[in-house]
Amino acid sequence: MQNARTMQSPVNRDGGIREKEAARPLVQVLADTSDKLSGVRSILEEKFTVAGERLDADAKLAQVPSAIVIRAELRNVDNIAAIKKRAGKLAKARKRIFLLEHTSHVGISQAYALGATLVLPGIVNRIKLLAALSDPADDSSAPSGGTTQPDNAVETAATAIASMFTAVTLGQPLDVDGTREAGRQIADRITQHGLSEWLTTVRRHHEGTYQHCLLVTGVAIDFGLSLGVGRADLERLYTAAMFHDIGKARIPLAILDKPGRLDPEERAMIETHPAAGYDFLKGHDGISPEILDAVRHHHEYLDGSGYPDALCAESIGDIVRILTISDIFAALIEHRHYKPTMPRTEAYDILCGMNGKLEKALVASFKQVALTR
């Protein structure tokens, strides 16, 4: 077997790809050590043409790859500077996947700030990485034309979510206006291209809590549009949706991204996030009482069985009711590498079965959003 030094590169001296390798998608791998570089290459080379570079070397690749995979320590300022120097090429790749071994909310936020479309935290997992480089199996909701729209709104919104998580973790000022603007861009995107296109694009590029926030915002916007809410109420709705899970910045990633069932202690920790988000936001200018109410109470049910305040029907406002339905539906249809994506029809049936917990008339109105839009 050839080692990493003697293995023939698919890249010519001029940065082009050898003819026999050109039929397979090109993936560029960037890493801060040779060991990391060879480790990722060994995973990808059976399915992709792979071009690898260390971050401390000069950039050589002339072609734009279909995807870029970066495995580097983002606590190292030299690595961050090297990635920024390649920003032009990064922006042209459709997928930009960061592999982070030392995981934290700050590290994930840093990756998104550097242009990531997806962050895979933890030990490098071959199955997860190959799945991330392939589109989700469930593309049944893709637009019939088969084309995808530019991902500017997705990236703007993901960056805004990353920024808010960083603000919570580090105690920094929160960019309320930037988050609201990201929500407005999502509303414009969905108005022009529909909910199905948004769901497909988000699930293709994002994972975990970030994917969930983007899905909830899109679903809530489309639900509001279908109900004919006014512009001011729509703005409150998408701002509340963008902020609704900000309290999860206080929850360890090992719990947030756990593939199996949570134990009672982990469940109790998860259930602190609405109050934690409310406590962080309540001191900020530009956060209205309606948004604070939605952040704190989006897990409340009409029968009083929700949390954190066990509110009953008359105490739960309209925006909260809309957001709760959107949140549950989005959680059910998320794309995760460890489980199949639930069909939208099945997710809607679950909502219909939550008798006494959700407003029946709103669930009925949600049917066209869930199944047809």
Side-chain angles (χ1 to χ4, degrees):
M1 180 179 292
Q2 293 172 303
N3 61 34
R5 292 188 178 184
T6 62
M7 188 180 296
Q8 187 180 41
S9 170
V11 184
N12 292 321
R13 289 183 180 180
D14 62 359
I17 301 300
R18 297 182 190 278
E19 184 177 349
K20 69 178 181 179
E21 299 284 348
R24 300 196 298 176
L26 172 62
V27 177
Q28 184 177 24
V29 179
L30 301 174
D32 54 0
T33 70
S34 298
D35 287 346
K36 290 180 183 178
L37 187 61
S38 62
V40 176
R41 291 190 65 150
S42 67
I43 292 172
L44 302 182
E45 283 177 334
E46 64 181 80
K47 292 193 174 183
F48 301 95
T49 298
V50 181
E53 291 178 7
R54 278 182 46 149
L55 285 170
D56 56 4
D58 293 334
K60 295 178 181 178
L61 191 66
Q63 266 180 262
V64 175
S66 63
I68 293 178
V69 178
I70 298 177
R71 185 182 179 193
E73 174 55 74
L74 296 187
R75 295 178 295 184
N76 184 310
V77 293
D78 291 334
N79 288 342
I80 292 173
I83 294 169
K84 287 181 177 178
K85 284 174 65 176
R86 292 168 167 84
K89 182 64 64 66
L90 275 169
K92 294 177 182 178
R94 189 168 69 88
K95 293 186 177 184
R96 302 178 293 278
I97 300 171
F98 281 60
L99 308 177
L100 301 184
E101 293 167 26
H102 296 285
T103 58
S104 67
H105 291 299
V106 175
I108 291 177
S109 298
Q110 178 69 71
Y112 280 115
L114 290 169
T117 58
L118 175 65
V119 179
L120 296 179
I123 297 171
V124 177
N125 182 297
R126 177 182 178 276
I127 295 173
K128 279 188 176 183
L129 180 55
L130 291 175
L133 287 166
S134 303
D135 288 340
D138 177 23
D139 269 354
S140 58
S141 59
S144 58
T147 58
T148 56
Q149 302 299 327
D151 296 335
N152 294 0
V154 180
E155 294 176 14
T156 298
T159 301
I161 293 167
S163 175
M164 78 170 74
F165 271 62
T166 299
V168 175
T169 304
L170 300 182
Q172 296 174 343
L174 184 67
D175 184 4
V176 176
D177 290 339
T179 304
R180 185 179 289 113
E181 169 60 21
R184 186 193 64 75
Q185 289 190 32
I186 298 174
D188 289 346
R189 169 80 165 261
I190 289 173
T191 300
Q192 293 177 38
H193 304 297
L195 177 63
S196 290
E197 187 272 339
W198 176 255
L199 299 180
T200 299
T201 303
V202 169
R203 287 187 297 204
R204 179 179 291 119
H205 291 305
H206 290 283
E207 176 79 1
T209 302
Y210 287 68
Q211 179 192 143
H212 178 69
C213 290
L214 294 170
L215 292 178
V216 171
T217 303
V219 172
I221 286 169
D222 200 61
F223 195 7
L225 291 171
S226 75
L227 293 171
V229 303
R231 179 177 296 181
D233 283 335
L234 187 65
E235 180 180 292
R236 292 187 190 96
L237 185 57
Y238 63 63
T239 304
M242 287 289 288
F243 282 125
H244 83 286
D245 269 351
I246 190 171
K248 286 184 177 176
R250 303 285 195 196
I251 310 296
L253 287 170
I255 296 177
L256 282 182
D257 296 332
K258 183 178 178 179
R261 183 179 296 275
L262 299 176
D263 64 33
E265 292 78 15
E266 291 167 336
R267 170 54 58 189
M269 173 68 76
I270 285 284
E271 291 184 0
T272 65
H273 81 268
Y278 171 85
D279 289 341
F280 179 77
L281 290 173
K282 66 183 180 182
H284 286 80
D285 294 335
I287 303 292
S288 69
E290 296 95 337
I291 293 170
L292 287 173
D293 180 46
V295 169
R296 185 176 180 92
H297 295 130
H298 65 276
H299 284 289
E300 301 285 0
Y301 292 136
L302 301 183
D303 61 2
S305 64
Y307 62 89
D309 298 318
L311 298 183
C312 290
E314 64 276 4
S315 302
I316 301 175
D318 291 340
I319 289 179
V320 177
R321 294 177 187 221
I322 293 171
L323 182 59
T324 299
I325 292 171
S326 303
D327 183 39
I328 296 169
F329 183 75
L332 292 171
I333 65 168
E334 284 177 23
H335 171 69
R336 295 290 184 119
H337 292 303
Y338 54 79
K339 70 178 181 68
T341 302
M342 182 181 290
R344 289 165 68 171
T345 52
E346 187 176 330
Y348 182 66
D349 287 345
I350 290 175
L351 289 176
C352 292
M354 296 180 68
N355 296 321
K357 296 182 180 297
L358 306 174
E359 184 177 333
K360 192 171 183 179
L362 273 180
V363 172
S365 297
F366 186 68
K367 183 174 183 178
Q368 61 174 315
V369 176
L371 305 183
T372 66
R373 291 168 72 92

